[in-house]
Amino acid sequence: MDARPREDRQGTSRSTYLWNTASSMLMAFQSVIMLVVVTHVCDVSTAGVLTLAYAHANLFLNLGKYGVRNYQVSDVERRHSFIAYAKLRVLTSTLMLVFGSAFLLSPFGDTGYSGYSASKSATIFVMLLFKCIDALEDAVHGNYQQNGHLDVGAKVLCFRLSTTIAIFALLVCLARDLLLSLSIATAYTALYFLAETAWVWRRYGLPSFDAGGSSKALPLLKACFPLFLSLFLLFYIGNIPKYTIDTLMDDAAQAIYGFIAMPVFVVGLLSNFIFNPIVASLALQWSKGKVDAFSKRFLWQSIVILLITVGCIVGAWTIGAPVLGALYNTNLYPYRIDLIVLLMGGGLLALATLFTTGITIMRNQRMLTFGYLLVSLIARILCPVMVRAEGIDGASWSYLWVMLCLTLWCLGGFLMGLRSNKGSTSD
């Protein structure tokens, strides 16, 4: 099998875009569908528990993934073997479970952090297991993409997500028990991951165990630490309003904030449809010194994100509140302004993620750390003040201002990286 990325040999195929789009949509709307089912079958407080559990698991998923995927895909010189990436992912996934569970530990009997009930703590822990599968699978699919088979990973991911969502929804409808349904769905998705990996190995000979490259995980652990810390803080910053609501308000308020925050992910989702399949080819351009072509493609992607954000805002202003209200069986019209504010923050988040990816390709990821730490400190001070003063309104506006600070920092780092390579050959 030709080891060069398929993007380099024949361009990214239409099939790859379609399957990547489908799998990205399922991944992004997984929580939405689960939340809709729980809201209609159970109650708004149970939906609030699911919202918090999903946010918490996604936060620690960044420890499991460790920011390695784009680093792995952009490793065009194959300096590290798949063995190294796999070892690292097993280690970080274990740490994900350990530190994610430590959040729930408490010496006070059967209650967890902040006085959580045993059922609420168990739900959060099972959700950690549920998302841990995503972390392990991501390393395998990164190898598929390295070898020009992003579509293969997208196909099996589509089937895993769709069947898992269907099983979870059916179980909730039958048992009306969130913890039981989530536990069975988690066991199913783990077994499916093992089966899909075995099938792809037999069918395509992937993952590819490269003969060259280092098989040691420690260099990767060190090289990707700034990426992990930055992405972890990025999600932590985005979740601070939810943690603040959890501390100062109730599960019903948590659910309402989760309902109106859902469209935020649509902006990033639609942006990723265009961007994710071309990361490998962007890395090749950068490695060949084609700085002008590289920067133009990022400029175009930034324009696309802005257009997507404006389109989502227009849609949200006209039909957002009634559509979301119907989905979640809740009157959300009083939160229409909050919906717009959160979508603006979502557009800024998509831009920050885009520039972070560019900085990763440039291998300048260490400069991200200070900015993310500074912005997380700002968020920790700003969010509680605004939530105490304005409730859900305060949470929404604090999210927007924090994302603005973060985007400006990432843009500055990206431009500095381009400027430092201005002497490179341009296309």
Side-chain angles (χ1 to χ4, degrees):
M1 182 174 62
D2 192 341
R4 290 175 299 162
R6 189 160 58 191
E7 291 88 345
D8 189 35
R9 300 197 303 268
Q10 53 182 277
T12 305
S13 69
R14 181 178 298 178
S15 173
T16 297
Y17 270 111
L18 290 175
W19 281 108
N20 183 67
T21 298
S23 62
S24 297
M25 286 187 67
L26 282 169
M27 181 63 76
F29 286 101
Q30 181 184 55
S31 63
V32 176
I33 298 170
M34 294 169 71
L35 194 56
V36 166
V37 173
V38 169
T39 303
H40 282 270
V41 176
C42 300
D43 54 49
V44 70
S45 293
T46 305
V49 173
L50 178 61
T51 298
L52 180 66
Y54 206 92
H56 178 73
N58 269 331
L59 173 64
F60 282 91
L61 178 61
N62 287 282
L63 174 55
K65 290 187 173 182
Y66 206 70
V68 175
R69 176 63 179 266
N70 285 336
Y71 190 96
Q72 179 182 6
V73 173
S74 59
D75 184 10
V76 293
E77 297 178 357
R78 306 299 176 104
R79 294 183 176 180
H80 304 279
S81 69
F82 173 68
I83 295 294
Y85 289 109
K87 287 179 180 177
L88 177 65
R89 195 59 61 92
V90 170
L91 172 62
T92 57
S93 296
T94 302
L95 293 175
M96 169 189 173
L97 296 178
V98 170
F99 285 99
S101 301
F103 175 87
L104 303 172
L105 296 179
S106 169
F108 303 109
D110 64 350
T111 60
Y113 185 81
S114 297
Y116 290 167
S117 67
S119 176
K120 186 172 181 178
S121 296
T123 301
I124 295 173
F125 175 73
V126 174
M127 185 62 80
L128 278 170
L129 294 173
F130 185 81
K131 299 304 291 183
C132 186
I133 305 303
D134 292 352
L136 294 169
E137 183 183 60
D138 186 64
V140 179
H141 288 190
N143 185 264
Y144 299 169
Q145 188 175 359
Q146 260 190 312
N147 289 281
H149 285 284
L150 176 62
D151 58 323
V152 174
K155 288 176 185 177
V156 294
L157 180 59
C158 271
F159 289 113
R160 181 174 73 81
L161 292 175
S162 58
T163 54
T164 301
I165 292 169
I167 288 171
F168 174 82
L170 179 62
L171 288 168
V172 170
C173 292
L174 293 176
R176 297 178 179 270
D177 188 314
L178 173 60
L179 179 57
L180 175 64
S181 303
L182 183 60
S183 299
I184 296 174
T186 299
Y188 167 79
T189 200
L191 292 172
Y192 189 103
F193 164 61
L194 296 174
E196 83 178 38
T197 304
W199 179 81
V200 174
W201 170 255
R202 290 196 302 270
R203 177 69 173 81
Y204 296 96
L206 293 171
S208 173
F209 295 87
D210 311 51
S214 170
S215 62
K216 296 180 180 180
L218 184 58
L220 277 174
L221 187 71
K222 295 170 62 178
C224 294
F225 179 76
L227 281 176
F228 148 67
L229 186 59
S230 298
L231 291 174
F232 183 87
L233 290 172
L234 173 62
F235 274 78
Y236 175 68
I237 291 164
N239 280 335
I240 283 177
K242 294 181 181 179
Y243 286 127
T244 306
I245 289 172
D246 184 61
T247 301
L248 301 178
M249 303 178 74
D250 56 21
D251 288 336
Q254 186 73 261
I256 291 172
Y257 182 83
F259 297 159
I260 60 174
M262 182 274 287
V264 169
F265 298 102
V266 175
V267 178
L269 167 69
L270 296 175
S271 303
N272 287 338
F273 288 168
I274 300 170
F275 183 70
N276 278 348
I278 61 174
V279 171
S281 61
L282 283 167
L284 284 171
Q285 281 188 325
W286 182 257
S287 67
K288 293 177 180 178
K290 299 179 179 179
V291 179
D292 286 348
F294 179 84
S295 57
K296 286 177 183 177
R297 292 176 79 179
F298 270 86
L299 175 61
W300 167 245
Q301 182 68 11
S302 300
I303 294 172
V304 169
I305 289 174
L306 291 174
L307 292 175
I308 289 172
T309 304
V310 171
C312 289
I313 288 173
V314 172
W317 181 254
T318 54
I319 62 172
V323 169
L324 289 173
L327 274 177
Y328 295 114
N329 196 29
T330 305
N331 178 22
L332 297 176
Y333 190 82
Y335 305 99
R336 189 167 61 154
I337 298 298
D338 297 296
L339 177 60
I340 302 304
V341 170
L342 287 169
L343 277 170
M344 293 168 62
L348 292 170
L349 172 62
L351 286 172
T353 305
L354 172 67
F355 297 134
T356 296
T357 302
I359 292 167
T360 303
I361 293 173
M362 298 172 185
R363 297 298 190 254
N364 289 334
Q365 57 267 25
R366 291 185 179 181
M367 63 79 52
L368 292 169
T369 305
F370 177 76
Y372 277 84
L373 286 170
L374 178 61
V375 174
S376 65
L377 179 61
I378 293 171
R380 283 300 303 170
I381 296 171
L382 182 64
C383 286
V385 171
M386 296 191 70
V387 171
R388 281 192 180 94
E390 301 293 338
I392 292 176
D393 292 347
S396 303
W397 280 100
S398 64
Y399 180 84
L400 174 62
W401 297 127
V402 167
M403 286 302 154
L404 177 61
C405 294
L406 189 64
T407 302
L408 291 174
W409 178 271
C410 293
L411 174 61
F414 181 77
L415 294 176
M416 285 176 59
L418 289 178
R419 191 173 297 114
S420 67
N421 286 272
K422 62 183 178 180
S424 300
T425 304
S426 61
D427 188 25

